[in-house]
Amino acid sequence: MKKAKIVEVAPRDGLQNLQAFVPTDQKIALIKKLAGTGAQEIQIGSFVSPQAIAQFRDMEEVAQAVRRLKGFVPSALVPNGRGADKALACGIARLIFFFSVSSKHNYANVQQSPLDSLKELQHICRSHLSNPSMTLRVDLATAFGCPFSGNVTTAAVLRTVEKVAALGVREITLCDTVGFGHPKDVEEKFLACFRRFPEIRFGAHFHNTRGLAQANALRAYDIGVRSFDSSAGGLGGCPYAPGSSGNVATEDLVFMFESMGIKTGMDLKKLLNVCAWLQKILPQAKLSGSLFQAGLPHKHKLFC
Ligand code: ZN
């Protein structure tokens, strides 16, 4: 059977650019509702300093409330060893370490060089990688372009992957953080990664900043990527392109995959209900997903 794994990132990527603080009980309610849609994994937030992203100042409370929910794996982003320790102490055993391929973006995002981020990753790997109950994924931001330095080459991505792989990491996601990627670039970078690092599982994280996220996801699927991050309603944005769309919308991605016979295990009607609820509790947020705007096709064979 053809399958794709969807990693729901609305509680993390979707909320992180919102200026207004989303109350803790609403964050918990969002995660519970998303769990009901069949998402296998949900990013519940980021264990970052509250000075960096105030939206996640209640991470410990959110983690405590959702860590024992059934049916999905809760994961959280961590930029350093301190974040990793905090997440694990809160019972979150799937960590997503992130840093940027582009040096300028890494300075802007986490105020340090990629080399210093790698030292943090090395510390996390040494401390925790032998722990069988923990899993670690590494996200490479700006793998398809940087808002400060522009083009990011395949060679630069491969060099970064090599350094991460050398630490024992076996799961890496290439992130189009600012929506610069296009299908040809997606094909070139993923195929180069598959060839050089057959031992590593690669996932995709696309933003729809310039309308190409679905096309990129389809190309990535066609060449063998099986894990995709997406955000309900396309919630989110890009701090470097104000007013732009967020991640590829989960319901659009699921609609595309399921229509093509690729199983995601997700319930589209429930997903659309979550989008409607999100729009109600976050009237200021722009939900950019197409399916949420248009609705399911009348008497669609998959959903009637
Ligand atoms: Zn993102």
Side-chain angles (χ1 to χ4, degrees):
M1 194 203 308
K2 291 200 252 177
K3 278 190 202 169
K5 176 186 174 182
I6 305 291
V7 178
E8 175 58 59
V9 302
R12 199 276 300 170
D13 218 339
L15 298 186
Q16 76 180 22
N17 291 312
L18 288 183
Q19 289 302 313
F21 181 72
V22 177
T24 308
D25 58 342
Q26 287 188 348
K27 287 184 182 128
I28 295 166
L30 172 60
I31 294 164
K32 287 182 175 171
K33 283 174 189 291
L34 289 168
T37 66
Q40 288 180 51
E41 179 179 337
I42 301 174
Q43 289 184 2
I44 65 162
S46 290
F47 282 88
V48 291
S49 133
Q51 281 79 43
I53 306 180
Q55 185 66 263
F56 297 129
R57 63 177 186 255
D58 56 354
M59 270 313 294
E60 292 178 20
E61 222 179 312
V62 172
Q64 302 286 0
V66 304
R67 64 183 180 152
R68 289 209 177 86
L69 293 176
K70 299 270 181 266
F72 74 100
V73 174
S75 58
L77 263 71
V78 299
N80 49 39
R82 207 169 49 244
D85 293 343
K86 254 191 186 170
L88 291 167
C90 290
I92 302 302
R94 180 156 172 78
L95 307 185
I96 301 171
F97 182 85
F98 64 96
F99 72 110
S100 312
V101 179
S102 145
S103 176
K104 282 184 181 167
H105 187 268
N106 210 55
Y107 273 112
N109 208 23
V110 290
Q111 293 76 52
Q112 63 185 9
S113 68
L115 205 62
D116 284 335
S117 284
L118 271 163
K119 284 182 192 154
E120 293 284 349
L121 177 60
Q122 187 173 27
H123 166 75
I124 293 172
C125 291
R126 278 191 186 145
S127 311
H128 304 296
L129 216 52
S130 57
N131 174 356
S133 60
M134 191 214 72
T135 59
L136 175 67
R137 161 183 141 177
V138 172
D139 279 13
L140 300 184
T142 65
F144 298 90
C146 167
F148 307 113
S149 41
N151 188 34
V152 169
T153 64
T154 299
V157 171
L158 290 173
R159 279 195 299 273
T160 309
V161 171
E162 188 162 30
K163 289 173 188 152
V164 173
L167 299 176
V169 174
R170 289 296 172 263
E171 208 180 326
I172 295 176
T173 293
L174 301 188
C175 303
D176 187 12
T177 314
V178 289
F180 280 16
H182 55 80
K184 198 164 177 293
D185 194 23
V186 165
E187 177 180 321
E188 181 181 312
K189 286 185 168 131
F190 275 106
L191 285 181
C193 284
F194 291 160
R195 268 186 230 114
R196 270 278 286 283
F197 306 98
E199 74 281 17
I200 293 189
R201 265 182 296 141
F202 287 95
H205 177 104
F206 295 124
H207 279 249
N208 201 35
T209 322
R210 292 174 179 80
L212 289 180
Q214 284 272 76
N216 289 339
L218 183 58
R219 193 71 203 109
Y221 181 86
D222 281 344
I223 58 169
V225 177
R226 290 294 177 267
S227 176
F228 296 86
D229 292 358
S230 61
S231 173
L235 182 68
C238 172
Y240 307 107
S244 63
S245 309
N247 296 81
V248 61
T250 305
E251 64 279 10
D252 291 353
L253 197 59
V254 169
F255 180 66
M256 177 180 77
F257 281 144
E258 294 283 344
S259 299
M260 296 169 66
I262 299 161
K263 298 295 169 205
T264 62
M266 296 191 69
D267 184 315
L268 267 177
K269 282 183 182 162
K270 286 183 181 167
L271 253 174
L272 290 174
N273 288 340
V274 175
C275 295
W277 176 81
L278 262 176
Q279 191 66 97
K280 208 163 76 186
I281 65 155
L282 301 172
Q284 76 280 23
K286 184 181 136 205
L287 295 191
S288 55
S290 300
L291 196 72
F292 178 57
Q293 307 297 334
L296 284 165
H298 183 56
K299 289 189 178 174
H300 190 284
K301 63 180 162 64
L302 285 171
F303 315 113
C304 294

